[in-house]
Coordinates of all heavy atoms in Angstrom, one line a residue:
N1 N 6.7 -21.0 6.3 CA 7.5 -22.2 6.7 C 8.5 -22.5 5.6 O 8.3 -22.1 4.5 CB 6.6 -23.4 7.0 CG 5.6 -23.1 8.1 OD1 5.9 -22.4 9.1 ND2 4.4 -23.7 8.0
S2 N 9.5 -23.3 6.0 CA 10.5 -23.7 5.1 C 11.1 -22.6 4.3 O 11.2 -22.7 3.0 CB 9.9 -24.8 4.2 OG 9.4 -25.9 4.9
L3 N 11.4 -21.5 4.9 CA 11.9 -20.3 4.3 C 13.2 -20.6 3.5 O 14.0 -21.3 4.0 CB 12.0 -19.2 5.3 CG 10.7 -18.5 5.7 CD1 10.9 -17.7 7.0 CD2 10.2 -17.6 4.6
K4 N 13.3 -19.9 2.4 CA 14.4 -20.0 1.5 C 15.0 -18.6 1.4 O 14.4 -17.6 1.6 CB 14.0 -20.5 0.1 CG 13.3 -21.9 0.2 CD 12.8 -22.3 -1.2 CE 12.1 -23.6 -1.2 NZ 11.6 -24.0 -2.6
T5 N 16.3 -18.6 1.0 CA 17.0 -17.3 0.8 C 16.3 -16.5 -0.2 O 16.3 -15.2 -0.1 CB 18.5 -17.5 0.4 OG1 18.5 -18.3 -0.8 CG2 19.2 -18.2 1.5
K6 N 15.7 -17.1 -1.2 CA 15.0 -16.3 -2.2 C 13.7 -15.6 -1.7 O 13.1 -14.8 -2.4 CB 14.7 -17.2 -3.4 CG 13.7 -18.3 -3.2 CD 13.5 -19.1 -4.4 CE 12.5 -20.3 -4.2 NZ 12.4 -21.1 -5.4
D7 N 13.3 -16.0 -0.5 CA 12.1 -15.3 0.1 C 12.5 -14.0 0.7 O 11.6 -13.3 1.2 CB 11.5 -16.2 1.2 CG 10.9 -17.5 0.6 OD1 10.3 -17.4 -0.4 OD2 11.1 -18.6 1.2
T8 N 13.8 -13.7 0.8 CA 14.2 -12.4 1.3 C 13.6 -11.3 0.6 O 13.8 -11.2 -0.7 CB 15.7 -12.3 1.3 OG1 16.3 -13.3 2.2 CG2 16.2 -11.0 1.8
A9 N 12.9 -10.4 1.3 CA 12.3 -9.3 0.6 C 11.6 -8.4 1.7 O 11.5 -8.8 2.9 CB 11.2 -9.7 -0.4
V10 N 11.2 -7.3 1.3 CA 10.3 -6.5 2.1 C 8.8 -6.9 1.8 O 8.4 -6.9 0.6 CB 10.4 -5.0 1.9 CG1 9.4 -4.2 2.7 CG2 11.8 -4.5 2.2
Y11 N 8.1 -7.3 2.8 CA 6.8 -7.8 2.6 C 5.8 -6.7 3.0 O 5.9 -6.0 4.1 CB 6.5 -9.0 3.5 CG 7.2 -10.2 3.0 CD1 8.6 -10.4 3.0 CD2 6.4 -11.3 2.5 CE1 9.2 -11.5 2.5 CE2 7.0 -12.4 2.0 CZ 8.4 -12.5 2.0 OH 9.0 -13.6 1.4
F12 N 4.8 -6.4 2.1 CA 3.9 -5.3 2.3 C 2.5 -5.9 2.4 O 2.0 -6.7 1.6 CB 3.9 -4.4 1.0 CG 5.2 -3.8 0.7 CD1 6.1 -4.4 -0.1 CD2 5.5 -2.5 1.3 CE1 7.3 -3.8 -0.3 CE2 6.7 -1.9 1.0 CZ 7.6 -2.5 0.2
C13 N 1.8 -5.5 3.5 CA 0.4 -5.8 3.7 C -0.4 -5.1 2.6 O -0.1 -4.0 2.2 CB -0.1 -5.4 5.0 SG -1.7 -5.9 5.5
Y14 N -1.5 -5.7 2.2 CA -2.2 -5.2 1.0 C -3.7 -5.3 1.3 O -4.2 -6.3 1.9 CB -1.9 -6.1 -0.2 CG -2.8 -6.1 -1.3 CD1 -2.8 -5.1 -2.3 CD2 -3.7 -7.2 -1.5 CE1 -3.7 -5.1 -3.4 CE2 -4.6 -7.2 -2.5 CZ -4.6 -6.2 -3.5 OH -5.5 -6.2 -4.5
I15 N -4.5 -4.4 0.8 CA -5.9 -4.4 0.9 C -6.5 -4.0 -0.4 O -6.1 -3.0 -1.0 CB -6.4 -3.5 2.1 CG1 -7.9 -3.7 2.3 CG2 -6.0 -2.0 1.9 CD1 -8.4 -3.0 3.6
D16 N -7.5 -4.7 -0.8 CA -8.3 -4.4 -2.0 C -9.7 -4.2 -1.5 O -10.3 -5.2 -1.0 CB -8.1 -5.5 -3.0 CG -8.8 -5.2 -4.3 OD1 -9.2 -4.1 -4.6 OD2 -8.9 -6.2 -5.1
Q17 N -10.3 -3.1 -1.7 CA -11.6 -2.8 -1.3 C -12.6 -2.8 -2.4 O -12.3 -2.7 -3.6 CB -11.7 -1.4 -0.6 CG -10.8 -1.3 0.7 CD -11.3 -0.2 1.6 OE1 -12.4 -0.2 2.1 NE2 -10.3 0.7 1.8
R18 N -13.9 -2.9 -2.1 CA -14.9 -2.8 -3.0 C -15.3 -1.4 -3.3 O -14.7 -0.4 -2.8 CB -16.2 -3.5 -2.5 CG -16.0 -5.0 -2.3 CD -17.3 -5.7 -1.9 NE -17.2 -7.1 -1.9 CZ -16.9 -7.8 -0.8 NH1 -16.7 -7.2 0.4 NH2 -16.9 -9.1 -0.8
F19 N -16.2 -1.2 -4.3 CA -16.7 0.2 -4.6 C -15.7 1.1 -5.2 O -15.8 2.3 -5.0 CB -17.4 0.8 -3.4 CG -18.3 -0.1 -2.6 CD1 -18.1 -0.5 -1.3 CD2 -19.4 -0.7 -3.3 CE1 -19.0 -1.3 -0.6 CE2 -20.3 -1.5 -2.6 CZ -20.1 -1.8 -1.3
G20 N -14.8 0.6 -5.9 CA -13.8 1.4 -6.6 C -12.7 2.1 -5.8 O -12.1 2.9 -6.3
V21 N -12.6 1.7 -4.5 CA -11.6 2.2 -3.7 C -10.2 1.8 -4.2 O -10.0 0.6 -4.4 CB -11.8 1.9 -2.2 CG1 -10.7 2.5 -1.4 CG2 -13.1 2.4 -1.8
P22 N -9.2 2.7 -4.3 CA -7.9 2.3 -4.8 C -7.3 1.3 -3.8 O -7.5 1.3 -2.6 CB -7.1 3.6 -4.8 CG -8.1 4.6 -5.0 CD -9.3 4.2 -4.2
R23 N -6.5 0.4 -4.4 CA -5.7 -0.6 -3.5 C -4.7 0.2 -2.7 O -4.2 1.2 -3.1 CB -5.0 -1.6 -4.4 CG -6.0 -2.4 -5.2 CD -5.3 -3.3 -6.3 NE -6.2 -4.1 -7.1 CZ -5.8 -4.8 -8.1 NH1 -4.5 -4.9 -8.5 NH2 -6.7 -5.5 -8.8
S24 N -4.3 -0.4 -1.5 CA -3.4 0.2 -0.6 C -2.4 -0.9 -0.2 O -2.7 -2.0 0.0 CB -4.1 0.8 0.6 OG -5.0 1.8 0.2

């Protein structure tokens, strides 16, 4: 909400798993 011009970007979904799995 209340988006600003500085919010302009490519947004990437992220996952961090347990057991030493690399982040994606």
Side-chain angles (χ1 to χ4, degrees):
N1 298 325
S2 302
L3 283 162
K4 305 174 180 180
T5 56
K6 64 182 180 181
D7 295 317
T8 296
V10 178
Y11 285 69
F12 299 90
C13 188
Y14 159 84
I15 185 170
D16 185 12
Q17 299 198 61
R18 296 185 174 92
F19 312 119
V21 179
R23 299 170 181 175
S24 299

